[in-house]
Amino acid sequence: MEIDLGFAEKGDEAWLSNRYFPSKLGGQPAWLELEALPPTSQLQCNKCRAPKSFLAQLYAPFEDEFNFHRSIYVFLCRNPDCQEAQSAGNFTVLRSQLPRTNKFFSEEEPSDVGEPLSAVPCPKKLCAACGCHAPHACSKCKAIHYCSSEHQRAHWPQHKPNCGAAGETTEKPLTQIVFPEFEIVMDSNPVESGGDKDDEARLAEFQELEASGKTGDLTNVSEAEMDKYFGNSAAADDKTFRQFKKQIAAEPDQIVRYKRGGQPLWITNTVKTVEEQLKKLPNCTACGGDRQFEFQIMPQVLTLLEDENLDWGVLAVYTCAKSCPIDGYVEELLIKQDIVAEEQS
């Protein structure tokens, strides 16, 4: 089955503004619908009440008029106390879309020749720290806005010397709030399309790659987690994990796998992890229709985020199968699968 793979690339971040409809990891969100931004409460952790951080967005239009532009956004709470195995309670996924003719963007495709143009301005105030909707202003200068008191306090050491100063000031992203920014470059992957090779030939090919050290070392997965698999024979025989390693062997740096209507590449057996969640996928909150798998974020991402508190095996995103017409942003579904230890007898 042909699948689109996403790879992280560093480049000029000016090309990752909303004007160019990017797929990207980290930085601040490049909003699509610019008036009906998600409220701060929607991007607030249900457990610790802290603002969530922007993780990634994918530009994934459909072939119909109201999905001419379409982006999926993923946010998460970085507090380690809010992370639970096989639970995506600290994540939020949002879908937004626009027709070709809309009030924000030109109908013409933006040119990638010459210098990048500035972002299409948002009529709403955006948080200086995270780029989300900002209903609060700096009490002194009134010129800088924030989504929350937490982000205002975090940003104050940078803003204080410039508070009230005339003209623009350059301030660095706050690493405790904003992840390092990368473009996600999507590429179709015929290597995984099947061909005429049977499973035995594929396994032999994988074992040859593994022996030569070319399968990827999954350095983003902690040694402790890997030991859960290779520390005992039962775990090493996990067919799902072996299949996961075999599938990514040819492109070990992939950070996204996109296959609308397909199936995720799980990292371990679903029976002991997310099976119950998969049995009762909630329907679309906007139209009531079915949701389907659209893409997954891989554990390889973890090495790029520079946050040792984060950990996952697979983040599988499910969206409305019809991508129904909406105003603004609507929540979609994420299922987080973690690597689990085999119980000792």
Side-chain angles (χ1 to χ4, degrees):
M1 178 182 293
E2 186 169 304
I3 189 167
D4 290 337
L5 301 182
F7 302 89
E9 289 189 6
K10 267 292 188 185
D12 187 346
E13 295 171 359
W15 290 105
L16 300 181
S17 77
N18 62 351
R19 183 180 297 276
Y20 299 101
F21 309 108
S23 293
K24 66 178 193 139
L25 175 72
Q28 296 187 356
W31 297 113
L32 186 61
E33 215 287 357
L34 298 177
E35 289 184 345
L37 295 181
T40 56
S41 59
Q42 193 171 24
L43 296 178
Q44 189 177 49
C45 179
N46 291 329
K47 185 174 182 179
C48 73
R49 312 310 298 173
K52 293 179 180 178
S53 291
F54 169 70
L55 175 62
Q57 68 185 78
L58 281 192
Y59 182 67
F62 283 9
E63 293 180 356
D64 54 50
E65 172 54 26
F66 54 85
N67 280 293
F68 186 84
H69 296 298
R70 179 176 177 273
S71 290
I72 308 295
Y73 301 79
V74 182
F75 296 81
L76 81 162
C77 176
R78 298 170 69 168
N79 186 341
D81 294 333
C82 299
Q83 300 178 52
E84 299 179 19
Q86 324 308 335
S87 170
N90 61 320
F91 285 82
T92 294
V93 176
L94 301 174
R95 167 169 59 96
S96 184
Q97 57 211 42
L98 292 171
R100 181 170 187 170
T101 303
N102 62 80
K103 65 175 72 174
F104 309 117
F105 302 97
S106 169
E107 293 185 28
E108 301 301 319
E109 184 176 351
S111 172
D112 58 1
V113 178
E115 294 297 316
L117 301 176
S118 60
V120 176
C122 181
K124 301 288 187 179
K125 301 298 184 182
L126 300 179
C127 178
C130 72
C132 295
H133 177 51
H136 311 291
C138 172
S139 58
K140 288 191 174 183
C141 70
K142 310 295 184 183
I144 301 297
H145 293 77
Y146 299 97
C147 67
S148 62
S149 58
E150 290 94 336
H151 282 188
Q152 183 172 8
R153 286 194 297 270
H155 191 252
W156 178 243
Q158 276 200 32
H159 176 55
K160 183 178 179 180
N162 304 315
C163 187
E168 296 185 4
T169 58
T170 301
E171 297 177 347
K172 296 180 180 179
L174 301 175
T175 57
Q176 71 270 37
I177 295 175
V178 177
F179 292 116
E181 190 169 22
F182 298 84
E183 182 180 6
I184 299 176
V185 178
M186 302 302 296
D187 189 18
S188 61
N189 182 40
V191 173
E192 295 188 353
S193 62
D196 298 325
K197 296 181 180 178
D198 57 24
D199 286 342
E200 185 176 343
R202 288 181 172 277
L203 181 58
E205 187 177 89
F206 169 73
Q207 290 172 338
E208 181 179 344
L209 286 168
E210 189 172 41
S212 63
K214 296 179 180 178
T215 60
D217 56 9
L218 286 181
T219 52
N220 51 301
V221 181
S222 69
E223 289 187 18
E225 285 178 321
M226 295 299 287
D227 286 344
K228 295 172 188 176
Y229 282 90
F230 298 112
N232 63 80
S233 59
D237 286 338
D238 185 328
K239 292 182 179 179
T240 309
F241 184 65
R242 288 165 56 199
Q243 178 67 14
F244 180 89
K245 287 190 67 179
K246 183 171 69 173
Q247 284 290 95
I248 69 170
E251 299 287 357
D253 294 330
Q254 59 187 270
I255 64 167
V256 167
R257 296 173 66 87
Y258 186 97
K259 182 59 181 178
R260 178 188 173 198
Q263 295 295 327
L265 177 63
W266 298 114
I267 198 168
T268 188
N269 197 316
T270 58
V271 173
K272 295 183 180 181
T273 54
V274 296
E275 183 179 57
E276 291 304 311
Q277 298 177 60
L278 295 172
K279 287 180 179 178
K280 48 185 179 183
L281 291 176
N283 288 350
C284 173
T285 56
C287 72
D290 291 339
R291 281 193 172 108
Q292 65 182 6
F293 172 72
E294 186 163 351
F295 68 92
Q296 71 187 78
I297 298 175
M298 303 290 280
Q300 287 89 322
V301 164
L302 293 167
T303 55
L304 304 174
L305 299 181
E306 300 177 3
D307 187 336
E308 295 181 354
N309 292 322
L310 297 178
D311 194 21
W312 61 72
V314 164
L315 303 178
V317 173
Y318 292 78
T319 59
C320 176
K322 297 184 294 185
S323 197
C324 62
I326 57 171
D327 293 321
Y329 295 79
V330 67
E331 287 196 34
E332 294 289 9
L333 178 70
L334 186 146
I335 291 181
K336 179 169 76 79
Q337 186 190 48
D338 294 286
I339 299 176
V340 293
E342 187 79 16
E343 294 183 5
Q344 300 293 326
S345 55

